[in-house]
C-alpha cells in the first residue's frame, strides 16, 4: 500500500503544482531513531546541511540536538542563524574561499575539515590576521571504494577530495609550523548512498591505521570524524522508511579502535532526510511517440535534478491509484528544454491522463536544495504534513 493513497489525493485537490511534500512526522521519527542510536554509543552526529535546508526541516534537525556539517560559508552562517551551536559546526570542502574561511573563523566553529596543505596554510594565515586560533581536522582520502554510483564516490585516489596518503607526512610537518592552528582530529568521507555495510568496516580499518600513524609520531587525535554516506532504500520508501541506524553505528562501535577519551563524529545527510520528502507533480500531457509513450509532467530537472545529474532512481507513483489499476509503460519527462530532462524510462504506471497527480518518492535529500530557475521557472512550493495538520507554503 502506498503512502500516497486516495486520502492524500483529496488533500491535494485544487493545489497548484509542482510542490515538495514533507512528512514531518516521518522526519521526527527518523531523527529520533538516529539520535537514540548515536547517544547510546556516545557518538556525535553533525547534520550535513547541503542535503536539505528547507526551513522547517532544518528547524527540526536543530531541535533534535545534532551539530551541523557545512560545505560553504553561507551554510555556516545559516547553521548559526537557526541555532546550531558554533561549537558543533564543522566546515568541509576542497575550495573554501578566503571570505568563507573568515566567516567560519569569526564564528569560532568547532573545526575546519582541511582538504589540502595549501588550505591549511591559508587558514593559519587568516586566523593569525584575526588573532584567533582555528581547530582543524585533516581530511584524509583513505582510498576506500564506497561501491556506490561513480558520481557520488569521494574516497578514491582519483577523487578531488581530501589529502592523498602521499601528502600526509608533509601535512604533519607543515602543521607543526602553523602557529594559529590546532589539530583536533582526522576526517574521512568516502561517498554517499552507501548500502553495503562492509564498506564501513573497510573504512574503520583505514581510520585505525591512520590514527595509529599519527599517534606513533607523537600526535594525539581527539576526534575521529568518519563522515556520512549511509544510504536509504529508494526502491522501497514504504517498506523501509527509516535507515538502519543501529546496524550502521554498531559497525563503528565494534570496528573503530578508540582510546577512552577519543570522540567519534559522524556527518549524516541523506539518511536523515531523504525519505520524508516527495515531489508532487501534475500530468500535463500524454504523448504517444513512435516507440514510446511520454508522460509529460509539470515538474522537471529544475525541481529535482538527481535523475539527470547522477542517473539516480526515484520511485514514481500515481497518487491515489488502486493496486489493481491497469498499467502502461511511460517515459516520465519534464517540461524543460533538455533531452536529459526525464525522471524515468519505461516506467510501469497505472494508465494516466491529463490532470493526474504523480508522486516522485524519496526526494528529501539533494532535491529541493538543487532547484534552479533555469527556463525562468517559478520558485518551488512546499507542503508540510505534521500531526494531522497541513500547510502549503508558496513563494
Ligand atoms: C555531503 C557530505 C556529507 C553527507 O553525506 P550523506 O551521504 O548525505 O550522508 C558528509 N560529509 C561531507 C564532508 C559531505 O560533503
Amino acid at each position: 500500500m502506498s503512502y500516497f493513497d486516495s486520502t492524500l489525493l483529496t488533500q491535494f485537490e485544487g493545489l497548484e503544482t509542482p510542490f515538495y511534500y514533507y512528512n514531518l512526522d516521518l522526519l521526527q521519527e527518523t531523527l529520533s531513531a538516529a539520535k537514540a542510536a548515536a547517544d547510546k554509543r556516545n557518538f556525535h552526529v553533525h547534520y550535513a546541511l547541503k542535503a536539505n535546508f528547507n526551513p522547517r526541516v532544518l528547524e527540526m534537525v536543530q531541535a533534535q540536538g545534532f551539530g551541523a556539517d557545512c560545505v560553504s560559508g553561507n551554510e555556516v552562517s545559516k547553521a548559526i542563524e537557526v541555532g546550531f551551536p558554533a561549537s558543533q559546526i564543522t566546515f568541509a570542502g576542497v575550495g573554501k574561499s578566503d571570505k568563507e574561511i573568515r566567516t567560519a573563523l569569526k564564528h569560532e566553529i568547532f573545526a575546519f575539515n582541511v582538504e589540502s596543505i595549501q588550505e591549511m596554510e591559508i587558514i593559519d594565515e587568516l586566523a593569525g590576521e584575526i588573532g584567533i586560533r582555528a581547530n582543524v581536522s585533516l581530511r584524509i582520502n583513505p582510498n576506500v571504494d564506497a561501491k556506490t554510483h561513480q558520481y557520488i564516490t569521494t574516497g578514491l585516489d582519483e577523487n578531488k577530495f581530501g589529502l592523498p596518503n602521499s601528502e600526509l607526512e608533509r601535512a604533519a610537518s607543515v602543521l607543526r609550523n602553523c602557529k594559529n592552528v590546532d589539530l583536533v582530529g582526522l576526517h574521512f568521507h568516502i561517498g554517499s548512498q552507501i548500502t553495503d555495510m562492509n564498506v564501513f568496516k573497510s573504512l574503520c580499518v583505514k581510520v585505525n591505521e591512520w590514527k595509529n600513524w599519527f599517534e606513533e609520531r607523537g600526535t594525539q587525535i581527539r576526534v575521529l570524524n568518519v563522515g556520512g554516506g549511509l544510504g536509504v532504500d529508494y526502491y522501497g520508501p514504504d517498506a523501509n522508511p527509516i535507515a538502519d541506524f543501529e546496524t550502521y553505528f554498531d559497525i563503528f562501535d565494534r570496528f573503530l579502535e578508540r582510546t577512552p577519551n577519543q570522540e567519534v563524529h559522524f556527518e549524516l545527510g541523506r539518511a536523515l532526510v531523504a525519505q520524508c520528502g516527495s515531489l508532487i507533480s501534475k500530468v500535463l500531457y500524454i504523448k504517444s511517440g513512435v516507440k514510446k509513450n511520454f508522460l509529460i509532467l509539470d515538474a522537471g530537472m529544475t525541481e529535482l535534478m538527481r535523475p539527470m545529474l547522477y542517473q539516480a532512481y526515484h520511485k514514481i507513483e500515481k497518487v491515489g491509484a488502486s493496486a489493481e489499476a491497469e498499467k502502461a509503460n511511460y517515459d516520465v519527462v519534464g517540461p524543460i528544454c533538455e533531452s536529459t530532462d526525464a525522471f524515468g524510462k519505461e516506467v510501469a504506471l497505472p494508465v494516466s491522463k491529463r490532470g493526474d497527480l504523480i508522486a516522485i518518492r524519496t526526494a528529501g535529500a539533494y532535491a529541493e536544495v538543487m532547484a534552479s530557475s533555469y527556463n525562468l521557472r517559478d520558485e518551488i512550493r512546499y507542503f508540510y504534513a505534521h500531526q494531522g495538520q497541513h500547510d502549503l507554503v508558496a513563494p
Side-chain angles (χ1 to χ4, degrees), residues 46-51 69-71 90-93 113 115 139 152 154 161 187-194 225-231 248 266-273 365-366:
H46 303 260
Y47 169 63
L49 249 79
K50 74 173 186 293
D69 166 45
C70 303
V71 290
T90 55
F91 182 15
N113 293 331
E115 310 219 6
R139 178 166 181 178
I152 50 175
T154 58
F161 300 98
H187 174 239
F188 303 82
H189 175 67
I190 55 173
S192 199
Q193 183 54 17
I194 297 168
N225 181 338
V226 296
L230 176 61
Y248 171 71
F266 294 82
E267 300 167 336
L268 291 177
R270 187 190 310 274
L272 296 178
V273 294
Y366 306 107

Side-chain angles (χ1 to χ4, degrees), residues 30-31 37 77 96-97 136 150 200 225 227 244 247 278 292 296 299 329 389:
T30 309
L31 296 174
S77 302
K96 302 178 187 77
S97 72
V136 303
Q150 56 165 332
F200 294 116
N225 181 338
D244 187 355
T247 302
S278 298
K292 299 263 191 188
I296 303 171
N329 279 349
Q389 310 263 51

Side-chain angles (χ1 to χ4, degrees), residues 243-307:
D244 187 355
F245 297 107
E246 271 295 326
T247 302
Y248 171 71
F249 287 127
D250 189 55
I251 286 174
F252 291 92
D253 206 13
R254 284 192 293 142
F255 294 96
L256 270 189
E257 294 160 8
R258 284 158 285 164
T259 48
N261 46 9
Q262 224 152 25
E263 297 172 15
V264 185
H265 291 218
F266 294 82
E267 300 167 336
L268 291 177
R270 187 190 310 274
L272 296 178
V273 294
Q275 296 290 22
C276 78
S278 298
L279 177 62
I280 309 300
S281 176
K282 200 171 274 175
V283 177
L284 289 176
Y285 305 104
I286 310 277
K287 183 158 88 170
S288 302
V290 181
K291 294 179 176 157
K292 299 263 191 188
N293 290 318
F294 293 101
L295 197 74
I296 303 171
L297 302 183
D298 63 1
M301 62 192 287
T302 42
E303 285 69 43
L304 174 64
M305 194 162 48
R306 296 189 69 258

